Amino acid sequence: MLLIYTHKITPRFSYIMRQLFTRILGIEVSYCTKVEDFIKHTGPKITYTKQPLQNEFFVRSNDLLFEQGINDFRIVMGDWEGTPCFFSAGERSNIPFDIFAASFFLLSRYEEYLPHVKDIHGRFPPKESLAYQNEFLQQPVVDIWMLKLLKKLIERFPDIEYTAKTYRYTSIVDVTTSHCFAYRGLGRSLAGLFLDLGNLRLKRVAQRVGVWFNVGKDPYNNFDYLVETHKKFSVKSMFFFQFASYSTYDKNVSPNNNNFRFLIKYIADYSLVALSASYSSFQDVELLKKEKKNLEAVINRTVSYSRQRYNRVDVPETYRNLVDAEFTDDYTMGYTHEVGFRAGTCNPFYFYDITMEIQQPIKVHPFAVHDYAFINTKSKAAILDQVNTLYHEIRKVNGNFVLIFSNELLGGDAKLDWKDLYQTIITKYHV
């Protein structure tokens, strides 16, 4: 048991210590505020406060974990053995920065509470982030820091017990458009046909008519291929289906279409099926609950996992809404057009609500890659080079490699063969 002495045990303090030590390093941890209890402890121990008590392992604390609300910090970047860090701790500290406060800053998405200009979809722009601006977005720095800390703890306490993590790969298929031409209703189908004719997209006209008369396969109907690929490589996979009414940004097949319902049931036999929440439900909890309930009725099991349309996350409201709708896990933590680690980690974590100063009962699973980040990348080799860099970063910390591929890109008409890329990535990185 690792004992941590501090001057004040706060919800922030307890939250980050559980995440870092228990969930990432597999170390049992307890806390105390009495000096005599700390001195009596014969096992591994750390002092986390402003001054060391004796000659113990000491990390000098920043004020962040002992405050409430939001303050605008002036952050100065430093370096810890080649890894970027911040919240300098001074020379007396065994770690040159407050590793716990810095980790909390990233995991809580503290910077997303600060004033910033959102994009057209109400998202936090990656270029506003500390990680992007200081070029560590593609490093899971929280996990790297903790392995470095573990090494130093083992040097000081050779008998410390911990549980090593194992690398995991998860393939997510985002199905916000299950079919390009099929099952879309007479009105939408005719409107699409006239639009293609008006723009002289004759190839699409031929494809569309072929699908209507069952002489051609819908280009977005990748589902048999995906199921077989996942079975072949024994890959953990998840399908997030949008199950919502038509709107400006929600254009999937109608949830009332029986063929669409049969497809979802078919996929649920081979993979975990979850909800890709509609754009319209972003700030409408009742609509979110309705979509969840309707999808559950199709697969006859509880839907506990969610993703937000266009990776829209508005902290803390998005996670409060998901908790209210009784979701337990979310896979939206990442950037659509930038690869890397939005929260500085490749491990799942519970969301900490700074406004309410509590840990919300929803687990956040950060993803490292969304295929739309490569939409303007011209070659497969260039994409694999970026994916390979992320893979090695995650492998070094035995984290979770979560990739999101969009059904419409996998079946789209593009120079890049997205299905070939998808299978190559699975082949190279699933183990």
Side-chain angles (χ1 to χ4, degrees):
M1 177 78 72
L2 173 69
L3 180 65
I4 302 175
Y5 168 82
T6 189
H7 57 281
K8 183 181 180 182
I9 297 174
T10 66
R12 295 184 182 190
F13 171 87
S14 301
Y15 163 81
I16 201 63
M17 295 306 174
R18 280 197 301 270
Q19 175 62 26
L20 299 181
F21 286 105
T22 307
R23 299 191 183 106
I24 292 181
L25 295 184
I27 294 176
E28 291 298 317
V29 63
S30 62
Y31 330 116
C32 73
T33 56
K34 294 182 178 179
V35 174
E36 54 268 31
D37 292 340
F38 184 77
I39 292 173
K40 283 191 300 185
H41 186 72
T42 58
K45 51 189 177 181
I46 295 175
T47 296
Y48 178 65
T49 186
K50 292 297 184 183
Q51 299 292 336
L53 300 175
Q54 298 173 320
N55 190 31
E56 74 280 6
F57 196 99
F58 171 60
V59 178
R60 189 176 189 277
S61 64
N62 184 280
D63 292 332
L64 179 60
L65 298 186
F66 307 100
E67 297 176 339
Q68 290 188 341
I70 301 295
N71 291 304
D72 196 354
F73 291 94
R74 179 178 175 270
I75 293 180
V76 178
M77 295 302 300
D79 180 272
W80 183 28
E81 300 173 354
T83 303
C85 63
F86 53 98
F87 292 149
S88 174
E91 294 182 359
R92 296 186 67 184
S93 178
N94 288 92
I95 304 294
F97 71 110
D98 186 341
I99 186 172
F100 308 124
S103 297
F104 179 82
F105 183 89
L106 293 173
L107 292 179
S108 68
R109 303 309 303 130
Y110 196 98
E111 62 190 346
E112 298 191 32
Y113 290 85
L114 298 171
H116 60 273
V117 178
K118 297 183 183 296
D119 72 5
I120 189 174
H121 296 298
R123 298 176 296 192
F124 177 79
K127 293 183 180 179
E128 294 266 342
S129 70
L130 183 72
Y132 183 93
Q133 293 173 0
N134 292 280
E135 300 181 347
F136 65 88
L137 181 59
Q138 296 187 24
Q139 292 178 271
V141 289
V142 172
D143 309 311
I144 296 170
W145 293 337
M146 288 311 296
L147 284 187
K148 288 176 179 286
L149 176 59
L150 176 61
K151 183 178 178 182
K152 291 188 177 295
L153 289 175
I154 291 172
E155 290 172 359
R156 178 68 73 92
F157 311 108
D159 295 330
I160 191 169
E161 295 182 358
Y162 64 95
T163 303
K165 294 179 68 64
T166 56
Y167 168 80
R168 287 187 293 173
Y169 174 95
T170 303
S171 198
I172 290 177
V173 181
D174 207 20
V175 189
T176 56
T177 312
S178 65
H179 294 82
C180 187
F181 306 125
Y183 314 140
R184 303 191 74 81
L186 180 61
R188 290 172 65 186
S189 296
L190 290 176
L193 175 63
F194 291 133
L195 184 64
D196 288 341
L197 287 170
N199 289 295
L200 299 179
R201 293 189 294 222
L202 302 183
K203 182 180 178 181
R204 278 179 62 88
V205 170
Q207 279 185 307
R208 187 184 295 274
V209 173
V211 170
W212 289 351
F213 290 97
N214 294 319
V215 295
K217 183 180 178 182
D218 192 287
Y220 292 0
N221 186 0
N222 311 299
F223 300 102
D224 288 336
Y225 161 80
L226 291 168
V227 167
E228 290 304 314
T229 300
H230 296 158
K231 287 168 62 178
K232 177 180 178 180
F233 295 100
S234 299
V235 169
K236 179 186 176 183
S237 63
M238 304 170 70
F239 285 76
F240 285 77
F241 283 93
Q242 186 179 93
F243 205 65
S245 301
Y246 182 87
S247 73
T248 303
Y249 295 106
D250 304 312
K251 300 182 178 180
N252 203 2
V253 172
S254 168
N256 298 318
N257 185 284
N258 284 330
N259 290 300
F260 184 41
R261 288 169 168 261
F262 291 146
L263 168 65
I264 294 174
K265 287 181 179 180
Y266 162 67
I267 293 296
D269 289 337
Y270 298 97
S271 181
L272 188 146
V273 164
L275 180 69
S276 182
S278 70
Y279 196 98
S280 301
S281 69
F282 185 58
Q283 294 179 321
D284 187 338
V285 181
E286 293 308 312
L287 181 57
L288 180 64
K289 291 178 180 178
K290 180 181 177 182
E291 292 176 11
K292 179 177 185 287
K293 182 180 179 180
N294 289 344
L295 183 58
E296 289 173 337
V298 172
I299 62 174
N300 294 314
R301 66 194 69 161
T302 301
V303 172
S304 301
Y305 297 176
S306 69
R307 266 186 47 73
Q308 298 297 303
R309 182 76 162 133
Y310 296 153
N311 297 314
R312 301 168 84 205
V313 172
D314 184 16
V315 296
E317 284 77 10
T318 297
Y319 293 111
R320 290 180 186 173
N321 289 347
L322 291 172
V323 170
D324 192 14
E326 299 184 351
F327 288 97
T328 61
D329 297 72
D330 184 67
Y331 284 78
T332 318
M333 183 55 68
Y335 297 120
T336 303
H337 298 293
E338 294 286 344
V339 300
F341 308 96
R342 178 172 176 173
T345 183
C346 56
N347 283 300
F349 58 94
Y350 284 93
F351 177 71
Y352 189 89
D353 189 324
I354 291 179
T355 309
M356 298 179 68
E357 295 294 353
I358 60 170
Q359 174 184 295
Q360 294 283 10
I362 186 160
K363 187 179 287 187
V364 178
H365 299 258
F367 64 84
V369 174
H370 193 296
D371 55 1
Y372 272 94
F374 303 128
I375 198 72
N376 294 317
T377 306
K378 296 181 180 179
S379 73
K380 176 183 175 181
I383 294 173
L384 290 176
D385 186 55
Q386 292 189 62
V387 175
N388 194 57
T389 298
L390 294 168
Y391 167 76
H392 285 294
E393 289 288 344
I394 294 169
R395 260 299 194 184
K396 284 188 289 188
V397 297
N398 287 322
N400 297 355
F401 197 3
V402 180
L403 294 92
I404 296 173
F405 274 79
S406 308
N407 186 62
E408 67 268 20
L409 282 190
L410 288 171
D413 184 15
K415 292 182 180 179
L416 184 69
D417 188 336
W418 287 96
K419 280 196 281 194
D420 175 63
L421 173 68
Y422 182 74
Q423 182 155 330
T424 300
I425 287 174
I426 287 179
T427 305
K428 289 171 68 73
Y429 305 121
H430 79 286
V431 291

